[in-house]
Amino acid sequence: MDKHHAPVPDRYSRQERFAPIGSSGQQRIRDSKVLVIGAGALGSGLAEMLVRAGVGSLTIIDRDYVEWSNLQRQQLYTEEDARDRLPKAVAAEARLRSINSDVKVQGIVADVTVYELDQWARDQDLILDATDNFDTRLLINDYAMKMDIPWIYGACVGSYGMSVFFKRGLMPCLSCMMETIPIGGATCDTSGIISPAVQMTVSLQAAEALKWLSGCEDSLRNRLVSFDLWNNQYTSLDIRSARRADCPSCGDKASYPYLEAQHHRKTEVLCGRDSVQIRPAKVTKVKLPDVSDRLRAIGLIVQENPYLVSIEVNDKQRVVLFGDGRMLVHGTKDLVEAKIIADRLFG
Ligand SMILES: [Zn+2]
């Protein structure tokens, strides 16, 4: 018998001995399919926990490749992966398979749009958010509400993190809570991140995942939890009353606006130039002086006038941000690369 597929009766014994899960909960976990969107710090931690916990299948999608600056906190990757600049989804798949060969692991190298969600999320039992930007989260939210798939929001930066479990009919959704959850601003590239903040956020997400997958709905948290490990602050907010009957994403007359093309972030290569234009999903009024102060404070070279801020990303690439949220990424013709650069700066 192939040693990798030999049954190992003891493998999940400690998880089964945990009374709320037991052997029936373990069987449910084994029968479940999970999609992780993003294979950065949160995605690495979430995927490893769930693969070790013995889910039936795990699909992980990511658009980026491994870099040296990832190794401090992105636990699935090695120096060799950074040296080879392996796509994260490829490196993650190989590592996850070596951790648990019982699990059907699939790594997908892609930038997530409606098309990718339709292809990879449709038949999943749970979606885990490990993205680094709000446009993708709003897309995941609308798709998950429409298809009635639960999803778990997670975000962290600096020493701060937060998580919420979303399920149509049971909880409010991300659109219901737009005023409560801070959107954009600090990112790990601009404000840094310590790995305990990652692991805490992963734990908050993974605990809800195990409750849901093992059939322990009654134990779900029903709260938005946030923490700051450096300033020693912990908050927990009951969100059940935040549900809005007229919500465009989960209300009675939901129209799922973020699944429609006019609400997507638009990227295009500018004709005849080594530049990509990114137009945001929603026109927003950007406080340009705040942006330039924040980026200058972390040592970036920033120039500004009343209409735009220009940021040197490196010696080849420069981002220009306008007051309506529109951006020009100079020094690339690659749409995905341009989005990666923009999300690293602005989230
Ligand atoms: Zn809603």
Side-chain angles (χ1 to χ4, degrees):
M1 190 185 269
D2 181 347
K3 71 183 166 63
H4 293 291
H5 294 283
V8 185
D10 208 29
R11 177 153 202 155
Y12 305 109
S13 62
R14 301 307 184 272
Q15 197 162 275
E16 288 177 344
R17 251 171 243 174
F18 178 66
I21 292 180
S23 56
S24 63
Q26 187 60 40
Q27 188 56 50
R28 294 180 72 145
I29 291 171
R30 196 186 193 93
D31 291 338
S32 62
K33 295 184 217 154
V34 177
L35 174 67
V36 180
I37 300 182
L42 290 178
S44 290
L46 287 166
E48 179 165 344
M49 270 196 203
L50 291 169
V51 158
R52 286 189 189 277
V55 293
S57 88
L58 183 135
T59 304
I60 184 161
I61 306 183
D62 194 276
R63 62 187 181 183
D64 213 348
Y65 60 88
V66 182
E67 293 177 88
W68 287 91
S69 65
N70 300 149
L71 300 182
Q72 162 252 4
R73 66 196 180 286
Q74 301 188 14
Q75 68 193 60
L76 293 176
Y77 309 123
T78 63
E79 294 186 351
E80 199 180 340
D81 298 330
R83 220 174 281 127
D84 296 345
R85 296 183 157 207
L86 266 192
K88 289 181 182 178
V90 172
E93 181 186 289
R95 172 76 180 141
L96 292 165
R97 284 188 174 173
S98 74
I99 287 170
N100 191 345
S101 57
D102 284 348
V103 179
K104 190 169 163 269
V105 178
Q106 191 169 216
I108 309 291
V109 183
D111 182 39
V112 170
T113 66
V114 176
Y115 172 80
E116 279 74 25
L117 283 179
D118 221 28
Q119 191 169 8
W120 303 109
R122 184 170 278 275
D123 63 345
Q124 300 292 307
D125 298 302
L126 182 67
I127 300 172
L128 288 154
D129 161 36
T131 64
D132 60 357
N133 68 88
F134 234 82
D135 285 313
T136 309
R137 292 193 180 105
L138 289 170
L139 193 63
I140 294 170
N141 186 63
D142 269 15
Y143 189 84
M145 291 303 127
K146 186 177 179 192
M147 303 301 284
D148 197 13
I149 303 168
W151 74 283
I152 306 177
Y153 169 97
C156 53
V157 64
S159 56
Y160 173 86
M162 67 158 52
S163 178
V164 199
F165 177 99
F166 292 119
K167 162 93 173 88
R168 186 163 196 171
L170 203 65
M171 311 274 170
C173 79
L174 185 61
S175 295
C176 293
M177 302 194 60
M178 289 287 268
E179 268 115 70
T180 321
I181 294 180
I183 299 173
T187 72
C188 296
D189 277 56
T190 59
S191 302
I193 174 115
I194 54 168
S195 63
V198 173
Q199 297 298 336
M200 186 102 168
T201 309
V202 165
S203 296
L204 289 170
Q205 289 180 277
E208 299 311 278
L210 289 178
K211 291 174 193 172
W212 178 256
L213 298 176
S214 65
C216 298
E217 282 178 53
D218 293 346
S219 299
L220 287 171
R221 196 182 292 132
N222 300 324
R223 285 171 172 270
L224 184 158
V225 179
S226 64
F227 62 85
D228 187 328
L229 293 174
W230 217 261
N231 295 311
N232 309 309
Q233 287 163 346
Y234 303 89
T235 60
S236 165
L237 187 70
D238 192 331
I239 56 167
R240 280 170 296 185
S241 63
R243 207 167 138 207
R244 286 171 30 204
D246 63 346
C247 173
S249 303
C250 75
D252 300 335
K253 292 179 185 148
S255 58
Y256 315 108
Y258 297 101
L259 298 182
E260 287 166 26
Q262 75 262 30
H263 291 106
H264 293 169
R265 176 159 60 163
K266 299 204 177 42
T267 50
E268 56 190 337
V269 180
L270 292 185
C271 194
R273 292 172 70 184
D274 193 21
S275 304
V276 173
Q277 172 171 262
I278 303 177
R279 272 180 294 158
K282 255 202 298 215
V283 175
T284 41
K285 204 162 161 38
V286 181
K287 287 182 184 141
L288 294 173
D290 292 0
V291 171
S292 48
D293 286 351
R294 180 164 62 79
L295 298 176
R296 204 169 274 132
I298 58 162
L300 288 172
I301 299 170
V302 181
Q303 290 175 310
E304 61 181 300
N305 65 32
Y307 315 101
L308 59 86
V309 176
S310 172
I311 307 122
E312 306 287 332
V313 177
N314 52 46
D315 52 3
K316 289 192 191 73
Q317 291 163 325
R318 187 164 60 89
V319 174
V320 175
L321 172 71
F322 294 88
D324 61 356
R326 191 169 58 86
M327 268 176 263
L328 296 177
V329 182
H330 297 293
T332 183
K333 285 191 171 89
D334 182 324
L335 300 181
V336 174
E337 186 184 27
K339 281 203 261 181
I340 291 172
I341 292 169
D343 289 337
R344 282 178 179 175
L345 284 174
F346 305 110

